Amino acid sequence: MILKLFGKVVRNWKAKFISLIIASIFYVNLQNSKVLIKTVNVPIDYPKLSGNLSYSKNPEKTIPVRVEGLKDVVNYYSQFMKAVIDPEDVQLGVTEVPIKKIVGVPSGVKVTKLKKTVPVEIESRGLKVVPIEVVFEGNPPPNFEKLTQILSPQKVTLSGKPQDLEKIGKVVLPEISLVDRKEPFAKTVKIPDLPKGVTVLGSRDVTVNVNIIPLSYKTGEQTAAGIPIVCSGLDPKLDVELSEEQVAIRYFSIKPIRSAQILTGITAQVPCNYIFDPIKNKIVPELQPQVAKVRIIKNKDLKGIEILQISPEKIEIRYKIKDQGIDSDPADDGTGMEGPMIDPSDRS
């Protein structure tokens, strides 16, 4: 019985052996067809640079890596892989920065970096604060005039190479038309394009408030709006944000008086008496915001008018420490006021 069974097994053994070899080859090829080895370019994730540092040239965007794993897994996950650079390796000047790791690699996939470093050039950029200037086109209709304008912000911080910043003394906004304007208005305009390599830190939007008034003389009780608020006694190491930029007043005058005289002869002031403590490196006192009462100061020509109401009577003042190393004109109080000088002793 056993001999008969053995005889059946060994019968045509050569053909059976060849069939086994062919089946094994097919099996190996099938398994190998599921494994994929290919080279892909993965994007480099560069760290953000602080303050006055920037990438002086466009650094390489990708590096080549060899990826090995199951075909479907490799093809799907390759799109999510990134090369990561350690921020501590990024230094001023030209350096070969190592690629520390590849992220987004799933389990079972082998990744080999074909390039282990990338050249990176970092340069120091300067900062400069310059005033913003607005230009007007045309004039209001007869019997109306433009009295004042207030810009918010009044200055802008620029970033760029020091040699490029030296050429810029101010930023001029696009022209604003005054044709057919009979009342105060506000317009938001964008800072125009700057020379190549110079950028604006923060928003490029500037709000321009323009005060248009009629040329008329009046007596009795009247109202005047759009009087700019001036921050008095501000520590030069601090900046402020006011909850209101302007006030309106209600006043009484026996003699005929023009609205223009009111708006050029009156100043609204708030005391900005917080200070910067250089030893503790903080603002004193620490409690913010400061609530300050608005005080009206009149010039000598307006002695005869009586201030009946100020709106708002109080505003909030928030302080912050000025950015270090930014050029600024200490003689400029940043008020943007127009009109004659005011004697501080003339108070309501």
Side-chain angles (χ1 to χ4, degrees), residues 61-79:
K61 295 181 179 180
T62 62
I63 64 163
V65 298
R66 185 169 63 246
V67 186
E68 181 179 353
L70 293 177
K71 181 177 180 181
D72 292 341
V73 176
V74 168
N75 286 334
Y76 179 73
Y77 283 97
S78 294
Q79 60 185 321

Side-chain angles (χ1 to χ4, degrees), residues 85-323:
I85 289 177
D86 191 331
E88 294 183 358
D89 293 331
V90 178
Q91 301 176 2
L92 193 62
V94 180
T95 53
E96 284 288 333
V97 180
I99 301 295
K100 287 294 180 68
K101 59 182 178 179
I102 307 295
V103 298
V105 181
S107 177
V109 173
K110 180 182 178 181
V111 175
T112 304
K113 291 177 285 187
L114 301 180
K115 188 174 183 181
K116 296 184 178 180
T117 64
V118 289
V120 177
E121 183 175 351
I122 305 296
E123 67 177 5
S124 178
R125 297 174 66 85
L127 299 177
K128 185 178 183 181
V129 176
V130 298
I132 301 174
E133 184 177 292
V134 61
V135 178
F136 295 99
E137 177 188 18
N139 296 298
N143 298 321
F144 290 86
E145 67 174 334
K146 180 189 77 68
L147 189 63
T148 58
Q149 72 271 348
I150 299 177
L151 278 62
S152 179
Q154 298 170 345
K155 297 180 181 180
V156 66
T157 302
L158 304 180
S159 173
K161 294 182 179 179
Q163 59 268 32
D164 293 333
L165 295 177
E166 286 180 3
K167 303 174 185 177
I168 303 176
K170 61 183 177 181
V171 170
V172 181
L173 300 178
E175 290 185 346
I176 296 177
S177 176
L178 298 178
V179 177
D180 296 330
R181 295 286 190 175
K182 297 182 180 180
E183 56 186 22
F185 67 94
K187 185 178 180 65
T188 299
V189 295
K190 283 192 175 295
I191 293 175
D193 292 337
L194 299 171
K196 186 178 180 180
V198 178
T199 58
V200 176
L201 295 187
S203 174
R204 298 178 67 95
D205 292 337
V206 179
T207 302
V208 182
N209 288 279
V210 183
N211 208 350
I212 305 288
I213 62 170
L215 293 172
S216 60
Y217 289 86
K218 295 181 180 179
T219 60
E221 188 175 306
Q222 302 174 58
T223 300
I227 300 174
I229 299 176
V230 178
C231 197
S232 174
L234 178 62
D235 187 324
K237 295 184 177 63
L238 298 178
D239 278 330
V240 294
E241 292 181 0
L242 307 180
S243 60
E244 299 288 340
E245 298 286 342
Q246 304 174 349
V247 296
I249 62 170
R250 188 163 55 88
Y251 63 95
F252 179 82
S253 175
I254 298 177
K255 297 180 180 180
I257 191 168
R258 286 175 55 190
S259 299
Q261 289 177 267
I262 294 293
L263 295 176
T264 57
I266 284 183
T267 302
Q269 279 191 1
V270 289
C272 298
N273 47 22
Y274 280 33
I275 62 172
F276 172 70
D277 187 336
I279 298 177
K280 297 182 180 180
N281 193 33
K282 66 179 183 179
I283 299 171
V284 179
E286 296 184 24
L287 183 63
Q288 291 207 54
Q290 174 192 4
V291 178
K293 186 176 181 180
V294 179
R295 184 178 60 177
I296 295 298
I297 299 177
K298 303 178 291 186
N299 68 11
K300 295 179 180 179
D301 295 334
L302 300 177
K303 285 285 189 179
I305 72 168
E306 178 184 0
I307 305 298
L308 303 176
Q309 184 181 10
I310 306 171
S311 180
E313 294 183 346
K314 297 179 180 180
I315 66 168
E316 292 183 351
I317 306 172
R318 293 187 180 273
Y319 296 83
K320 63 179 180 179
I321 301 173
K322 275 188 177 179
D323 293 332

